[in-house]
Amino acid sequence: MFTLAARLRHTFSELDAAMTALAGIIHEAAPGTPLTACCFPLPNVATGQEHEPVTRIPVARLDGGAAVAASLDGYRQWYIRPECSAKASFRLPGYLLLPAAARPLLQPQVEQINRLKQQFRAQVQEAEGRDKKFALVHDTLPGLITLQVYRQLVLLPRAASRLGFTWANKQIIQKVDKDRLVQQLTESRLSPPPLTDAQTWLQCVDREIYDVKRLPPGVELRLRRPVKTHPMVNVRWCEEIKPRQQQVKAHLPLLLCQDKPPALTPLGDYPPAKSRKRREASIKDEPLIPRLHIYPYRP
């Protein structure tokens, strides 16, 4: 019977081979004709800078063969890079345009790659506890960044008339059930984080439970967590379907199979010169539990 590490190594080897096959399909998709491609390289984040506030992100641009090469390399950017933070994941917004006739070959290959990525993730999750997961991955495949392996490749399901690249700088806001939160806090009382004194942790969690229970009946709870600035792409479909437009994460270059290139709104530097004014957030109180980003909310 194979060990978990051996199975993980085997899945990773299959994934690597599948990526090589994908590169072959892309290179052979239009013999003698340069592929239409565009990508927007982003600056590296140096070690120790990953938690600094993002005030500016300069964006470069590659087209044609250079974009194809960068995209294929980006799809396999799975390891820590020298002097780059392992906590700031690699991103390469962009797209590769293949002829519509390439879809019968491309689609099953992308599906196989994404299945292997899911299988790899499931095998990592078999290890119990965060420390064992970390040891499994980094003893088996030193320097691997799991998030970058997990990321699915995106092959658009239909022809797009426009790709509009942009920056997302939002917050996640979710309703939180008080009773469920108290239960979660209670379960965490005897599980202090690493390097945290057990008694100090117990006092901290008990205080949080008390703060939740003493809230007036009319006060609800919300999770309000900032999301790191990241690139997105607004895809407008050629077909008149609803919704006509869909927003997709632009972590890696999109794959398109269509004969007519889409109109393109390129990714500009962050922050944009003109930004849309957002509605002022209705959650204005101080956080009730800062470490969990839990806020009181009065409907």
Side-chain angles (χ1 to χ4, degrees):
M1 184 175 180
F2 292 110
T3 64
L4 182 53
R7 289 191 286 122
L8 193 70
R9 193 179 294 110
H10 178 70
T11 299
F12 187 77
S13 177
E14 286 189 309
L15 175 60
D16 192 53
M19 292 300 302
T20 299
L22 175 69
I25 292 172
I26 290 173
H27 283 307
E28 296 169 7
T33 304
L35 290 178
T36 298
C38 178
C39 62
F40 306 98
L42 306 178
N44 296 327
V45 178
T47 302
Q49 299 296 312
E50 58 272 3
H51 298 302
E52 294 296 319
V54 177
T55 57
R56 183 173 180 272
I57 304 175
V59 177
R61 176 169 176 166
L62 297 173
D63 290 281
V68 173
S71 297
L72 293 177
D73 181 65
Y75 291 149
R76 301 169 90 156
Q77 190 62 253
W78 295 329
Y79 288 92
I80 297 172
R81 293 168 294 158
E83 300 182 4
C84 293
S85 172
K87 298 178 181 179
S89 58
F90 171 84
R91 291 186 174 97
L92 182 66
Y95 75 95
L96 296 181
L97 177 65
L98 281 70
R103 185 176 289 275
L105 278 178
L106 185 67
Q107 184 165 331
Q109 189 63 33
V110 170
E111 290 173 351
Q112 181 191 8
I113 287 169
N114 287 338
R115 279 195 300 269
L116 288 168
K117 285 172 171 282
Q118 291 170 345
Q119 180 176 316
F120 184 90
R121 183 170 190 165
Q123 288 171 342
V124 171
Q125 299 307 312
E126 288 182 37
E128 296 181 359
R130 185 175 180 178
D131 292 343
K132 288 185 178 180
K133 288 181 175 64
F134 182 88
L136 169 67
V137 172
H138 296 286
D139 289 348
T140 307
L141 299 161
L144 192 79
I145 300 176
T146 52
L147 174 62
Q148 291 172 200
V149 178
Y150 295 165
R151 279 181 178 157
Q152 301 275 290
L153 301 187
V154 177
L155 170 61
L156 294 188
R158 58 183 66 86
S161 62
R162 172 175 288 277
L163 300 178
F165 287 88
T166 186
W167 289 101
N169 189 13
K170 303 178 181 178
Q171 292 183 339
I172 292 175
I173 298 180
Q174 296 174 340
K175 186 175 181 179
V176 176
D177 180 81
K178 290 182 187 177
D179 293 336
R180 189 171 182 180
L181 177 60
V182 169
Q183 180 182 350
Q184 291 172 345
L185 291 171
T186 302
E187 291 172 354
S188 71
R189 291 175 76 251
L190 301 180
S191 302
L195 306 179
T196 302
D197 175 71
Q199 186 60 34
T200 302
W201 173 254
L202 197 63
Q203 292 173 352
C204 172
V205 175
D206 284 345
R207 176 67 195 189
E208 292 170 346
I209 293 172
Y210 171 76
D211 287 341
V212 173
K213 288 184 173 181
R214 70 185 179 90
L215 286 172
V219 177
E220 298 178 356
L221 293 177
R222 293 290 187 272
L223 167 69
R224 189 181 78 181
R225 181 167 58 86
V227 177
K228 287 187 177 181
T229 302
H230 60 280
M232 301 286 290
V233 56
N234 294 308
V235 181
R236 185 169 178 82
W237 307 114
C238 292
E239 297 177 35
E240 293 187 5
I241 59 174
K242 292 184 179 180
R244 187 72 183 274
Q245 185 165 296
Q246 181 177 346
Q247 194 169 68
V248 180
K249 291 180 180 178
H251 296 317
L252 293 171
L254 304 179
L255 291 161
L256 286 71
C257 281
Q258 58 189 76
D259 295 325
K260 183 180 179 181
L264 177 68
T265 301
L267 184 67
D269 293 349
Y270 177 85
K274 294 182 179 179
S275 57
R276 185 179 63 184
K277 289 186 177 180
R278 296 189 178 275
R279 181 169 53 88
E280 188 177 356
S282 59
I283 303 174
K284 300 178 181 179
D285 290 314
E286 292 297 314
L288 183 71
I289 306 178
R291 69 180 181 89
L292 298 179
H293 307 284
I294 301 294
Y295 288 76
Y297 174 73
R298 294 168 178 80

